[in-house]
Amino acid sequence: MIETKNLKKIYTTEEVETTALNNVNLKVKEGEFIAIMGPSGCGKSTLLNILGLLDNPSEGEFFFNGEEVGGYSEKQRTNLRKSNIGFIFQSFNLIDELTVYENIELPLLYQKVSPAERKTKVKAVMEKLNILPRKNHFPQQLSGGQQQRVAVARAIVTKPKMILADEPTGNLDSENGDEVMDLLTQLHEEGTTIIMVTHSPSNAECAQRIINLFDGHIITENKKEEFHL
């Protein structure tokens, strides 16, 4: 599903040139669950942003579903992203002025889904995540765990092929964090490709493969089990 070849990302200012990623070679198969680990500043979020088509690499090749997309324009990246990728962020990234229902509905509006179909899809995903009674609440009226469930619902309402999760339990207590990891495991079992950045060894244990980054390089890869298509 994803392949990078000698991927580099360099940030340049007037005085400093910083290499965030350096010759990253990575393959992710459809339906795989990958955890990316490493110390702060090692390039984890930069890699996730490129894999999520939020940014372009400086050098190297990036293939998504067999197509080289590393040099795509912002419009091309947006079109590919909104029909293929869902995002879950540590800080939830919900819109305070929108209700739970409206936050979850937003990706469907971008896809120009009809009102009747939007209503059906949003209701189904809220029921799946046990947040239907909260549909008219605003994010600030919810607990951290409830907000993250809304964020997960928003990420999966379009039934994307891939979920990118950036420290999805970082702002949660252990009970709510375990709940989010159970949801990600369930989505993986249903066939969704998941790439997760995490500092948590216990969260990483939910993945089939753990990739360790250091100074922009992949230094180790640990497979929990042999993965087959």
Side-chain angles (χ1 to χ4, degrees), residues 169-225:
T169 67
N171 284 335
L172 302 176
D173 59 33
S174 59
E175 182 178 350
N176 284 306
D178 289 345
E179 198 172 287
V180 168
M181 291 311 303
D182 288 343
L183 288 170
L184 290 176
T185 300
Q186 181 183 344
L187 289 169
H188 167 241
E189 290 170 352
E190 293 170 358
T192 305
T193 305
I194 297 175
I195 302 176
M196 174 182 66
V197 163
T198 183
H199 279 103
S200 166
S202 61
N203 286 356
E205 281 300 309
C206 295
Q208 293 167 307
R209 185 155 51 110
I210 300 172
I211 293 167
N212 289 285
L213 282 181
F214 187 78
D215 285 349
H217 298 273
I218 293 177
I219 53 171
T220 59
E221 288 191 43
N222 304 315
K223 289 187 178 181
K224 283 183 62 182
E225 58 188 57

Coordinates of all heavy atoms in Angstrom, one line a residue, residues 169-225:
T169 N -3.2 8.1 22.5 CA -3.6 8.0 23.9 C -2.8 9.0 24.8 O -2.8 8.9 26.0 CB -3.3 6.6 24.5 OG1 -1.9 6.3 24.5 CG2 -4.1 5.5 23.6
G170 N -2.0 9.9 24.2 CA -1.1 10.7 24.9 C -1.7 11.6 26.0 O -1.1 11.9 27.0
N171 N -3.0 12.0 25.7 CA -3.7 12.9 26.7 C -4.7 12.2 27.5 O -5.6 12.9 28.1 CB -4.3 14.1 25.9 CG -3.3 15.1 25.5 OD1 -2.2 15.3 26.1 ND2 -3.6 15.9 24.4
L172 N -4.7 10.9 27.5 CA -5.7 10.1 28.2 C -5.2 9.4 29.4 O -4.0 9.0 29.4 CB -6.3 9.1 27.2 CG -7.0 9.7 26.0 CD1 -7.4 8.6 25.0 CD2 -8.1 10.7 26.3
D173 N -6.0 9.1 30.4 CA -5.6 8.2 31.5 C -5.6 6.8 31.0 O -6.0 6.5 29.8 CB -6.6 8.3 32.7 CG -8.1 8.0 32.3 OD1 -8.3 7.1 31.5 OD2 -9.0 8.6 32.9
S174 N -5.1 5.8 31.8 CA -4.9 4.5 31.3 C -6.2 3.8 30.8 O -6.2 3.1 29.8 CB -4.2 3.7 32.4 OG -5.0 3.6 33.6
E175 N -7.3 4.0 31.6 CA -8.5 3.3 31.2 C -9.0 3.8 29.8 O -9.3 3.0 29.0 CB -9.6 3.6 32.3 CG -10.9 2.9 32.0 CD -12.0 3.1 33.0 OE1 -11.6 3.7 34.1 OE2 -13.1 2.8 32.8
N176 N -9.0 5.1 29.6 CA -9.5 5.6 28.3 C -8.5 5.3 27.2 O -8.8 5.1 26.1 CB -9.7 7.1 28.4 CG -11.0 7.5 29.1 OD1 -12.1 7.0 28.7 ND2 -10.9 8.3 30.1
G177 N -7.2 5.3 27.6 CA -6.2 4.9 26.6 C -6.3 3.5 26.1 O -6.2 3.2 24.9
D178 N -6.6 2.6 27.1 CA -6.8 1.2 26.7 C -8.1 1.1 25.8 O -8.1 0.2 24.9 CB -7.1 0.3 28.0 CG -5.8 0.2 28.8 OD1 -4.7 0.4 28.2 OD2 -5.9 -0.2 29.9
E179 N -9.1 1.9 26.0 CA -10.3 1.8 25.2 C -10.0 2.3 23.8 O -10.4 1.6 22.8 CB -11.3 2.8 25.8 CG -12.7 2.6 25.4 CD -13.7 3.4 26.2 OE1 -13.9 3.1 27.4 OE2 -14.2 4.4 25.6
V180 N -9.2 3.3 23.6 CA -8.8 3.7 22.3 C -8.0 2.7 21.6 O -8.2 2.4 20.4 CB -8.0 5.1 22.3 CG1 -7.4 5.4 21.0 CG2 -8.9 6.2 22.7
M181 N -7.0 2.0 22.3 CA -6.2 1.0 21.7 C -7.1 -0.2 21.3 O -6.9 -0.9 20.2 CB -5.1 0.5 22.6 CG -4.0 1.6 22.8 SD -3.4 2.3 21.3 CE -2.8 0.8 20.4
D182 N -8.1 -0.5 22.1 CA -9.1 -1.6 21.7 C -9.8 -1.2 20.4 O -10.0 -2.1 19.6 CB -10.1 -1.8 22.8 CG -9.5 -2.5 24.1 OD1 -8.4 -3.1 23.9 OD2 -10.1 -2.4 25.1
L183 N -10.2 0.0 20.3 CA -10.9 0.5 19.0 C -9.9 0.3 17.8 O -10.3 -0.1 16.8 CB -11.3 1.9 19.2 CG -12.5 2.2 20.1 CD1 -12.6 3.7 20.4 CD2 -13.8 1.6 19.6
L184 N -8.7 0.7 18.0 CA -7.7 0.6 16.9 C -7.5 -0.8 16.5 O -7.4 -1.2 15.3 CB -6.4 1.3 17.2 CG -6.4 2.8 17.3 CD1 -5.0 3.4 17.8 CD2 -6.8 3.4 16.0
T185 N -7.4 -1.7 17.5 CA -7.2 -3.1 17.3 C -8.4 -3.7 16.5 O -8.2 -4.5 15.6 CB -7.0 -3.9 18.6 OG1 -5.8 -3.4 19.3 CG2 -6.8 -5.4 18.4
Q186 N -9.6 -3.3 16.9 CA -10.8 -3.7 16.2 C -10.8 -3.3 14.8 O -11.1 -4.0 13.9 CB -12.0 -3.2 17.0 CG -13.3 -3.6 16.3 CD -14.6 -3.0 17.0 OE1 -14.5 -2.5 18.1 NE2 -15.7 -3.1 16.4
L187 N -10.4 -2.0 14.5 CA -10.4 -1.5 13.1 C -9.4 -2.3 12.3 O -9.6 -2.6 11.1 CB -10.0 0.0 13.1 CG -11.1 0.9 13.7 CD1 -10.5 2.3 13.9 CD2 -12.3 1.0 12.7
H188 N -8.2 -2.6 12.9 CA -7.2 -3.4 12.2 C -7.8 -4.8 11.9 O -7.6 -5.3 10.8 CB -6.0 -3.6 13.1 CG -5.0 -4.6 12.6 ND1 -4.7 -5.7 13.4 CD2 -4.4 -4.7 11.5 CE1 -3.8 -6.4 12.7 NE2 -3.6 -5.9 11.5
E189 N -8.5 -5.4 12.8 CA -9.1 -6.7 12.6 C -10.1 -6.7 11.5 O -10.4 -7.7 10.8 CB -9.7 -7.3 13.9 CG -8.6 -7.7 14.9 CD -9.2 -8.0 16.3 OE1 -10.4 -7.8 16.5 OE2 -8.4 -8.5 17.1
E190 N -10.7 -5.5 11.3 CA -11.7 -5.4 10.2 C -11.1 -5.0 8.9 O -11.8 -4.9 7.9 CB -12.7 -4.2 10.6 CG -13.6 -4.6 11.8 CD -14.4 -3.4 12.3 OE1 -14.2 -2.3 11.8 OE2 -15.2 -3.6 13.3
G191 N -9.7 -4.9 8.9 CA -9.0 -4.8 7.6 C -8.4 -3.4 7.3 O -7.8 -3.2 6.3
T192 N -8.5 -2.5 8.3 CA -8.0 -1.1 8.1 C -6.5 -1.2 8.3 O -6.0 -1.8 9.3 CB -8.6 -0.1 9.1 OG1 -10.0 -0.2 8.9 CG2 -8.1 1.3 8.8
T193 N -5.7 -0.5 7.5 CA -4.3 -0.3 7.7 C -4.1 0.8 8.7 O -4.7 1.8 8.6 CB -3.6 0.1 6.4 OG1 -3.9 -0.8 5.3 CG2 -2.1 0.2 6.5
I194 N -3.2 0.5 9.7 CA -3.0 1.5 10.8 C -1.5 1.8 11.0 O -0.7 0.8 11.1 CB -3.6 1.0 12.1 CG1 -5.2 0.9 12.0 CG2 -3.3 2.0 13.3 CD1 -5.8 0.3 13.2
I195 N -1.2 3.1 11.0 CA 0.2 3.5 11.3 C 0.1 4.4 12.5 O -0.6 5.4 12.4 CB 0.9 4.2 10.1 CG1 0.9 3.2 8.9 CG2 2.3 4.6 10.4 CD1 1.4 3.9 7.6
M196 N 0.8 4.0 13.5 CA 0.6 4.8 14.8 C 2.0 5.2 15.3 O 2.9 4.4 15.5 CB -0.1 3.9 15.8 CG -0.1 4.4 17.3 SD -0.9 3.3 18.4 CE 0.3 1.9 18.5
V197 N 2.1 6.5 15.6 CA 3.3 7.0 16.4 C 3.0 6.9 17.9 O 1.9 7.4 18.3 CB 3.6 8.5 15.9 CG1 4.5 9.1 17.0 CG2 4.2 8.5 14.6
T198 N 3.9 6.4 18.6 CA 3.6 6.3 20.1 C 4.9 6.2 20.8 O 6.0 5.8 20.3 CB 2.8 5.0 20.4 OG1 2.5 4.9 21.8 CG2 3.6 3.7 20.0
H199 N 4.9 6.7 22.1 CA 6.0 6.6 23.0 C 5.8 5.4 23.9 O 6.6 5.0 24.7 CB 6.1 7.8 23.9 CG 6.9 8.9 23.2 ND1 6.3 10.0 22.7 CD2 8.2 9.1 23.0 CE1 7.2 10.8 22.2 NE2 8.4 10.3 22.3
S200 N 4.6 4.8 23.9 CA 4.2 3.8 24.8 C 4.5 2.3 24.3 O 4.0 1.9 23.3 CB 2.6 3.8 25.1 OG 2.2 2.7 25.7
P201 N 5.4 1.6 25.0 CA 5.7 0.3 24.6 C 4.5 -0.7 24.7 O 4.3 -1.5 23.8 CB 6.7 -0.2 25.7 CG 7.4 1.1 26.2 CD 6.3 2.1 26.2
S202 N 3.6 -0.4 25.6 CA 2.4 -1.3 25.7 C 1.5 -1.0 24.5 O 0.9 -2.0 24.0 CB 1.6 -1.0 27.0 OG 1.2 0.3 27.1
N203 N 1.3 0.2 24.1 CA 0.5 0.5 22.9 C 1.2 -0.1 21.6 O 0.5 -0.7 20.8 CB 0.4 2.0 22.7 CG -0.6 2.7 23.6 OD1 -1.2 2.0 24.4 ND2 -0.6 4.0 23.6
A204 N 2.5 0.0 21.6 CA 3.2 -0.6 20.4 C 3.0 -2.1 20.3 O 3.1 -2.7 19.2 CB 4.7 -0.3 20.5
E205 N 2.8 -2.8 21.5 CA 2.6 -4.2 21.5 C 1.4 -4.6 20.7 O 1.2 -5.8 20.4 CB 2.6 -4.7 22.9 CG 4.0 -4.9 23.5 CD 4.9 -5.8 22.8 OE1 4.4 -7.0 22.5 OE2 6.0 -5.4 22.4
C206 N 0.4 -3.7 20.5 CA -0.8 -4.0 19.8 C -0.5 -4.1 18.3 O -1.3 -4.7 17.5 CB -1.8 -2.9 20.0 SG -2.4 -2.8 21.7
A207 N 0.7 -3.6 17.8 CA 1.0 -3.6 16.4 C 1.7 -4.9 16.0 O 2.2 -5.6 16.8 CB 1.9 -2.4 16.1
Q208 N 1.7 -5.1 14.7 CA 2.4 -6.3 14.2 C 3.9 -6.1 13.9 O 4.7 -7.0 13.9 CB 1.7 -6.7 12.8 CG 0.3 -7.2 12.9 CD -0.3 -7.3 11.6 OE1 -0.4 -6.3 10.8 NE2 -0.9 -8.4 11.2
R209 N 4.2 -4.8 13.8 CA 5.6 -4.4 13.5 C 5.9 -3.1 14.2 O 5.1 -2.2 14.1 CB 5.8 -4.3 12.0 CG 7.2 -4.1 11.5 CD 7.5 -4.6 10.1 NE 6.5 -4.1 9.1 CZ 6.8 -3.2 8.2 NH1 8.0 -2.7 8.1 NH2 5.9 -2.9 7.3
I210 N 7.1 -3.1 14.8 CA 7.5 -1.9 15.5 C 8.7 -1.3 14.8 O 9.7 -2.0 14.6 CB 7.8 -2.1 17.0 CG1 6.6 -2.7 17.7 CG2 8.3 -0.9 17.7 CD1 6.8 -3.2 19.1
I211 N 8.6 -0.1 14.4 CA 9.7 0.6 13.7 C 10.3 1.7 14.6 O 9.6 2.5 15.1 CB 9.2 1.3 12.4 CG1 8.8 0.2 11.4 CG2 10.3 2.1 11.7 CD1 8.0 0.7 10.2
N212 N 11.6 1.6 14.8 CA 12.3 2.5 15.7 C 13.1 3.5 14.9 O 14.0 3.1 14.1 CB 13.2 1.8 16.7 CG 12.4 1.0 17.7 OD1 11.9 1.6 18.6 ND2 12.4 -0.3 17.5
L213 N 12.8 4.8 15.1 CA 13.5 5.9 14.4 C 14.5 6.6 15.4 O 14.3 6.7 16.6 CB 12.5 7.0 14.0 CG 11.7 6.8 12.7 CD1 10.8 8.0 12.4 CD2 12.6 6.4 11.5
F214 N 15.6 7.0 14.8 CA 16.6 7.8 15.6 C 17.3 8.7 14.7 O 17.9 8.3 13.6 CB 17.6 6.9 16.3 CG 18.5 7.6 17.3 CD1 18.1 8.0 18.5 CD2 19.8 7.9 16.9 CE1 18.9 8.7 19.4 CE2 20.7 8.6 17.8 CZ 20.2 9.0 19.0
D215 N 17.3 10.0 14.9 CA 18.0 11.0 14.1 C 17.6 10.9 12.6 O 18.4 11.0 11.7 CB 19.5 10.9 14.2 CG 20.0 11.5 15.5 OD1 19.2 12.2 16.2 OD2 21.2 11.3 15.9
G216 N 16.3 10.6 12.4 CA 15.8 10.6 11.0 C 16.0 9.3 10.3 O 15.6 9.2 9.1
H217 N 16.6 8.3 10.9 CA 16.9 7.0 10.3 C 16.0 5.9 11.0 O 15.7 6.0 12.2 CB 18.3 6.6 10.5 CG 19.4 7.5 9.9 ND1 19.8 7.3 8.6 CD2 20.0 8.5 10.4 CE1 20.7 8.2 8.4 NE2 20.9 9.0 9.5
I218 N 15.6 4.9 10.2 CA 15.1 3.7 10.8 C 16.3 2.9 11.3 O 17.1 2.5 10.5 CB 14.3 2.9 9.7 CG1 13.0 3.7 9.4 CG2 13.9 1.5 10.3 CD1 12.2 3.0 8.3
I219 N 16.3 2.6 12.6 CA 17.5 1.9 13.1 C 17.2 0.4 13.4 O 18.0 -0.4 13.2 CB 18.0 2.6 14.4 CG1 17.0 2.8 15.4 CG2 18.7 3.9 14.0 CD1 17.5 3.2 16.8
T220 N 15.9 0.1 13.7 CA 15.5 -1.3 13.9 C 14.0 -1.5 13.5 O 13.2 -0.5 13.5 CB 15.6 -1.7 15.4 OG1 14.8 -0.9 16.2 CG2 17.1 -1.7 15.8
E221 N 13.7 -2.7 13.1 CA 12.3 -3.1 12.9 C 12.1 -4.4 13.6 O 12.9 -5.4 13.4 CB 12.1 -3.3 11.4 CG 12.0 -2.0 10.6 CD 11.4 -2.2 9.2 OE1 10.5 -3.0 9.0 OE2 12.0 -1.6 8.2
N222 N 11.1 -4.5 14.4 CA 10.7 -5.7 15.1 C 9.4 -6.2 14.7 O 8.4 -5.5 14.8 CB 10.7 -5.4 16.6 CG 12.0 -4.8 17.1 OD1 13.1 -5.3 16.7 ND2 11.9 -3.8 17.9
K223 N 9.3 -7.4 14.2 CA 8.1 -8.1 13.8 C 7.6 -8.9 14.9 O 8.3 -9.8 15.4 CB 8.3 -8.9 12.5 CG 8.5 -8.1 11.2 CD 8.5 -9.0 10.0 CE 8.7 -8.2 8.7 NZ 8.7 -9.0 7.5
K224 N 6.3 -8.7 15.3 CA 5.8 -9.6 16.3 C 5.4 -11.0 15.7 O 5.4 -12.0 16.4 CB 4.5 -8.9 16.9 CG 4.8 -7.8 17.9 CD 3.6 -7.3 18.5 CE 2.8 -8.3 19.2 NZ 1.6 -7.8 19.8
E225 N 5.0 -10.9 14.5 CA 4.5 -12.2 13.8 C 4.7 -12.0 12.3 O 4.8 -10.9 11.8 CB 3.1 -12.4 14.1 CG 2.1 -11.3 13.7 CD 0.7 -11.6 14.2 OE1 0.5 -11.7 15.4 OE2 -0.2 -11.6 13.3

